[in-house]
Each structure stands twice: as structure tokens, then as C-alpha cells.
Amino acid sequence: MSAAIDRDGHHWEQHGKSVAIARPGVLEATTACTLAAHSMRNPRILQGRVHVMLEAGKDPFTLAARMTALEARTLAASLVKAADRVDEVQALLDRRAKP
């Protein structure tokens, strides 16, 4: 895949699929907003450095977070660890619930 940069030096590309997220206290993400990861560059932002943009938006929750590639990888690793722990705890609860 080529690094798509337009003639003005801009880059904006979504990576992977958007995922639905819910506010705390809401069990289902059906009414939530979507969260997406983009790589982006604007010559006038962050001294023109390319960065990762994590973006979600739906009232009353809006998020636009910029981070470096290293910060994005650290967050991704943390999300994987959290997901693994969720699976472990749910499996324990499921075993306890069986008669």
C-alpha cells in the first residue's frame, strides 16, 4: 500500500473497521458511537508530523485524540491485554455458574 499524500501534503486514511463503543453503564453498544483509527498528516498541525488519530463522535460523547505511532502501539497492546483479561474473568464466571 502506498502512503497516500495529496499535493498539498495532507494524508488521512482510516485503518481497519470502526467499532461501536458504549458509555459506562450501558451494556449494549447499539446506541453508542463508533470509534475509528486513522493515520493523518496536516502540514499545519504538529509541525507537519504524521500521527495517529483516534476518533469517535456522537452526542454527548466526542473524542479526537492524536498520538504518536509509539503511543498508539502502547494503547493497542493495553487494549489486547484488557480484552484477554475480560475473556479470562468471563470464563471463570461461566464455570462458576455451571451446576
Side-chain angles (χ1 to χ4, degrees):
M1 177 183 297
S2 65
I5 300 172
D6 69 16
R7 65 179 180 198
D8 295 323
H10 293 90
H11 168 77
W12 183 278
E13 182 179 350
Q14 181 173 334
H15 300 279
K17 295 181 179 181
S18 297
V19 295
I21 58 174
R23 294 186 317 273
V26 179
L27 295 178
E28 298 299 323
T30 56
T31 61
C33 62
T34 57
L35 184 64
H38 306 265
S39 57
M40 76 167 288
R41 179 186 188 267
N42 182 322
R44 293 180 291 282
I45 297 174
L46 299 175
Q47 294 80 39
R49 291 189 314 270
V50 182
H51 57 279
V52 173
M53 172 72 84
L54 188 61
E55 186 174 44
K58 181 176 181 180
D59 293 333
F61 178 74
T62 301
L63 168 73
R66 291 187 180 100
M67 60 192 85
T68 65
L70 177 60
E71 292 164 340
R73 286 183 184 95
T74 301
L75 176 59
S78 297
L79 288 169
V80 169
K81 287 179 183 179
D84 289 346
R85 180 64 74 192
V86 164
D87 291 341
E88 291 172 12
V89 172
Q90 188 62 55
L92 176 64
L93 291 170
D94 291 348
R95 285 193 301 274
R96 286 183 181 174
K98 289 183 180 178

